[in-house]
Amino acid sequence: MKDYIISLFNKLSEKLEYIAGLDLTFSAPAQETHGDLSTNVAMTLTKKLRKNPRQIAAEITDALDYDERIISKIEIAGPGFINFFFNPEYVASIVPVIIREGENYGRSVINNGKSAIVEFVSANPTGPLTVGHGRNAVIGDTIATMLEWTGYKVDREYYFNNAGRQMRILGESLRLRYMALCGEENEFPEEYYQGEYLVDIARSLFEREGDSLKNNEVSFFKDIAEREIFRDIENTLSNINIKMKSFFNEHSLYEDGKIEEVLKSFQEKNLSYEKEGAKWLKLTELGMEQDKVMVKSTGEPTYRLPDIAYHITKFEREYDLIVDLFGSDHAATYPDVMAALKALGYDTEKVKVLIHQFVTIMEGKEVVKMSTRKANFITLDELTEEVGRDVVRYFFIMRGISSHLNFDLQLAKKHSDENPVFYLQYAHARICSILRMADKEGLEPDDSLYRLLTAPSEITLMKKLHQFPGEILYSTSGFEPHRIANYLEELAALFHKFYTECRIIGVEKDLSSARMALAIAVQTVLKNGLGILGLSAPDRM
RNA sequence: GCCCACGUAGCUCAGCAGGAUAGAGCAACGGUUUCCUAAACCGUAGGUCACAGGUUCGAAUCCUGUCGUGGGUACCA
């Protein structure tokens, strides 16, 4: 609908010069009496034209040449809004369109031929994924799907680091657990990984191999811990419907010599220096506040160097769009990396860094502090088992990524039936049920009869259906997956209202067929939308 | 101290490319089923959009400051 109005104004700019090049905005007014779409152009032009806004609005509307089959009325209201009213018949013509496009309704081709990589989760394999990682996982996966719906070919990637201090401690933790089973008394240090999962791994090792592994090095145990934990992580992700295309090991950057290459490039560009035995990156020269260490005096690189090298591989893999999704605890790290990449000549415009805020876990009124090392966490698996995949996914996607999220575990467990996700799924199940029933009655849908759909609740419902493709585009360009969830809730509400006001079965036959077609259109959009969010669309509940 | 995000109904949160009377769910109260699924629908009540300035014809939305919350500010990632 908006597209049509925009095309009108584009044509208009030939007649009225001052329209050309304007940043036009059209929005759906809050009140129905204000029309279907509204624009404030006239008000924004008052200064430039030195005229009364209503006068300008009149000038514009007089010059507009529109198709009366599409627009029924244009009026000037309030301080100078121009309100457009659409012809109900045009609104209803969306039904056959949706039925024709089916599972593709809402997809667009604007990014066809382009490729994107979305990096997310990226938790180091030191323990099971927690509820905290869940938000990252679900947001990342949904954004990837949204990008696919606009035409991108998308790769989902998980980046991890299996070297360094934390992993050594992990290996040592497992070794100690194992040695204890072999009968060797030991003290388990407080700073080691306390989690039960390591005890489990140790136990299965002992059951399989007895005490024959006693003399192995720490690295042997580290490898085992890593392998087992990764298996667990992949399983956890698959439980909430997430499949990574690739797992990128930081260590490979050393083996390929990428790290060395980056160091050399910085040296060549005179962007690094040595001080106190460490190698520093001249970030101050790139406009940052202070220089940072790239290689510690111990010879180990800090996260910056591999992060830079890793991003270079993304550029070398020739993605058109590079999306990084981090929790706010990583917010401080990426500006350094971006500045460095830019200095090395990479087009950082392609990189979109998304920062989501943390989930605060509440147990009633108590805040639950989680730490993988201290093992006082709630795993994502536990949560999924408790409330189900759909609820987990919906919970993490339904709010804006920049808002802090409170998650009351007691509430989630107790009132899981009241989760809004059921509201959406119920609307879908209800439609399926009606269609089953109608089929039994020998009724058939007929989308060519859409002109019969004129009831107010039908019209508002169909206007909502019109908005779906635009909503996807808008949500995707702003990386705002929660908007899809909000949209679907509104659509479901309008359907439920339609359901209570209009009967599908038991009315005149043609009207019945037209309403069945409308129901199918709603079902299609719900299913497509739920699919984008990674949720199931049940046939019955 | 400095940097980032956030502060909207009792609770959890939408709205924030400036627009017309600030919304939803839950919780509270009341109503709707001889009729396609009541996991639904309708209604009542609930607000100084943290606070104070500023920009604007117009601010929950943009800017500045204050307060509060979370995160960061390491030769941890």
Side-chain angles (χ1 to χ4, degrees), chain A residues 37-210:
Chain A
L37 273 180
S38 167
T39 180
N40 61 352
V41 250
M43 276 121 88
T44 62
L45 282 167
T46 47
K47 269 230 175 99
K48 196 168 151 196
L49 301 180
R50 297 175 168 281
K51 272 189 212 166
N52 173 319
R54 290 191 67 109
Q55 211 179 328
I56 300 169
E59 214 169 281
I60 293 173
T61 51
D62 285 347
L64 273 177
D65 182 21
Y66 60 91
D67 186 340
E68 282 178 15
R69 284 170 306 179
I70 296 180
I71 291 174
S72 59
K73 188 169 69 167
I74 297 179
E75 67 179 27
I76 299 163
F81 291 103
I82 303 175
N83 296 334
F84 300 87
F85 294 78
F86 284 90
N87 199 320
E89 200 168 285
Y90 169 70
V91 172
S93 68
I94 193 67
V95 171
V97 172
I98 295 173
I99 288 177
R100 194 176 63 239
E101 294 188 18
E103 61 185 23
N104 289 320
Y105 180 67
R107 283 190 193 271
S108 62
V109 295
I110 58 167
N111 293 312
N112 263 11
K114 292 192 199 161
S115 65
I117 181 169
V118 180
E119 180 214 329
F120 62 112
V121 187
S122 296
N124 285 341
T126 57
L129 294 181
T130 66
V131 172
H133 296 118
R135 190 173 194 194
N136 186 291
V138 173
I139 291 171
D141 186 56
T142 307
I143 285 176
T145 309
M146 288 163 64
L147 290 169
E148 285 167 346
W149 273 69
T150 68
Y152 276 105
K153 185 190 166 297
V154 182
D155 289 339
R156 294 162 168 81
E157 187 159 275
Y158 185 125
Y159 176 69
F160 69 100
N161 170 12
N162 62 350
R165 200 177 111 84
Q166 289 307 317
M167 290 302 289
R168 273 200 307 277
I169 294 177
L170 180 76
E172 185 61 19
S173 301
L174 178 62
R175 198 183 69 88
L176 287 181
R177 293 300 195 200
Y178 175 75
M179 295 310 271
L181 291 171
C182 298
E184 185 185 286
E185 290 285 323
N186 60 50
E187 221 167 277
F188 200 82
E190 200 186 320
E191 70 271 20
Y192 279 24
Y193 286 90
Q194 306 289 330
E196 204 49 35
Y197 58 95
L198 283 180
V199 179
D200 293 343
I201 296 171
R203 192 174 299 121
S204 71
L205 264 188
F206 186 74
E207 279 165 13
R208 229 172 26 235
E209 309 283 345

Side-chain angles (χ1 to χ4, degrees), chain A residues 245-263:
Chain A
K245 162 102 188 306
S246 47
F247 287 77
F248 194 106
N249 188 343
E250 177 184 322
H251 194 66
S252 67
L253 296 166
Y254 295 87
E255 288 164 356
D256 300 354
K258 298 278 186 199
I259 301 281
E260 277 303 313
E261 274 174 42
V262 175
L263 270 177

Side-chain angles (χ1 to χ4, degrees), chain A residues 256-312:
Chain A
D256 300 354
K258 298 278 186 199
I259 301 281
E260 277 303 313
E261 274 174 42
V262 175
L263 270 177
K264 219 194 263 169
S265 315
F266 283 129
Q267 266 158 25
E268 278 163 16
K269 295 202 185 276
N270 199 21
L271 285 167
S272 64
Y273 60 89
E274 295 211 16
K275 194 177 83 182
E276 295 158 10
K279 285 202 176 74
W280 294 67
L281 179 59
K282 279 189 203 167
L283 283 167
T284 45
E285 210 150 287
L286 306 176
M288 311 295 287
E289 294 239 328
Q290 47 185 316
D291 294 346
K292 293 278 174 66
V293 170
M294 287 192 292
V295 183
K296 301 182 220 171
S297 49
T298 60
E300 277 181 285
T302 65
Y303 69 86
R304 271 175 210 93
L305 202 46
D307 263 17
I308 293 165
Y310 172 47
H311 274 84
I312 289 173

Side-chain angles (χ1 to χ4, degrees), chain A residues 282-516:
Chain A
K282 279 189 203 167
L283 283 167
T284 45
E285 210 150 287
L286 306 176
M288 311 295 287
E289 294 239 328
Q290 47 185 316
D291 294 346
K292 293 278 174 66
V293 170
M294 287 192 292
V295 183
K296 301 182 220 171
S297 49
T298 60
E300 277 181 285
T302 65
Y303 69 86
R304 271 175 210 93
L305 202 46
D307 263 17
I308 293 165
Y310 172 47
H311 274 84
I312 289 173
T313 74
K314 294 185 189 177
F315 283 106
E316 285 172 348
R317 286 183 273 169
E318 297 188 328
Y319 289 109
D320 298 294
L321 174 67
I322 297 169
V323 179
D324 296 348
L325 178 64
F326 304 132
S328 60
D329 56 337
H330 283 240
T333 70
Y334 80 91
D336 299 354
V337 174
M338 289 305 130
L341 286 168
K342 206 167 176 184
L344 292 178
Y346 293 98
D347 178 12
T348 50
E349 292 290 306
K350 286 182 179 175
V351 183
K352 178 75 187 174
V353 177
L354 301 174
I355 308 285
H356 66 85
Q357 296 300 311
F358 272 5
V359 181
T360 307
I361 308 293
M362 312 283 288
E363 187 86 57
K365 288 217 151 71
E366 293 289 309
V367 173
V368 183
K369 281 271 175 199
M370 301 214 286
S371 151
T372 302
R373 198 172 46 73
K374 292 181 189 156
N376 56 342
F377 52 78
I378 294 132
T379 67
L380 189 50
D381 266 341
E382 285 164 354
L383 182 69
T384 309
E385 225 164 277
E386 192 95 36
V387 301
R389 167 201 288 182
D390 287 346
V391 173
V392 169
R393 286 198 68 122
Y394 198 75
F395 180 83
F396 285 129
I397 214 64
M398 67 194 278
R399 306 303 186 195
I401 71 171
S402 65
S403 64
H404 301 270
L405 209 53
N406 279 339
F407 188 4
D408 187 335
L409 287 167
Q410 286 179 358
L411 212 72
K413 292 172 188 171
K414 209 166 39 184
H415 296 290
S416 64
D417 281 5
E418 287 155 12
N419 191 299
V421 68
F422 294 118
Y423 185 76
L424 303 184
Q425 295 180 320
Y426 177 58
H428 185 270
R430 206 176 210 187
I431 294 170
C432 293
S433 163
I434 295 164
L435 294 175
R436 278 193 299 268
M437 189 80 70
D439 185 54
K440 245 184 247 168
E441 304 269 322
L443 294 165
E444 279 189 24
D446 186 346
D447 58 24
S448 67
L449 297 170
Y450 64 84
R451 286 177 188 82
L452 299 175
L453 301 170
T454 54
S457 59
E458 290 170 333
I459 298 289
T460 44
L461 179 57
M462 292 184 293
K463 282 177 185 166
K464 201 75 196 171
L465 293 175
H466 269 274
Q467 292 167 11
F468 186 59
E471 192 58 56
I472 294 174
L473 281 176
Y474 190 79
S475 308
T476 307
S477 65
F479 299 92
E480 299 176 298
H482 72 284
R483 293 185 58 108
I484 308 268
N486 292 164
Y487 169 86
L488 292 176
E489 280 183 41
E490 286 162 15
L491 178 65
L494 292 176
F495 172 77
H496 286 308
K497 195 172 172 62
F498 157 73
Y499 173 87
T500 39
E501 288 179 11
C502 302
R503 289 195 60 81
I504 294 170
I505 299 167
V507 291
E508 187 270 324
K509 189 166 162 290
D510 278 357
L511 184 59
S512 224
S513 294
R515 284 181 174 165
M516 279 177 77

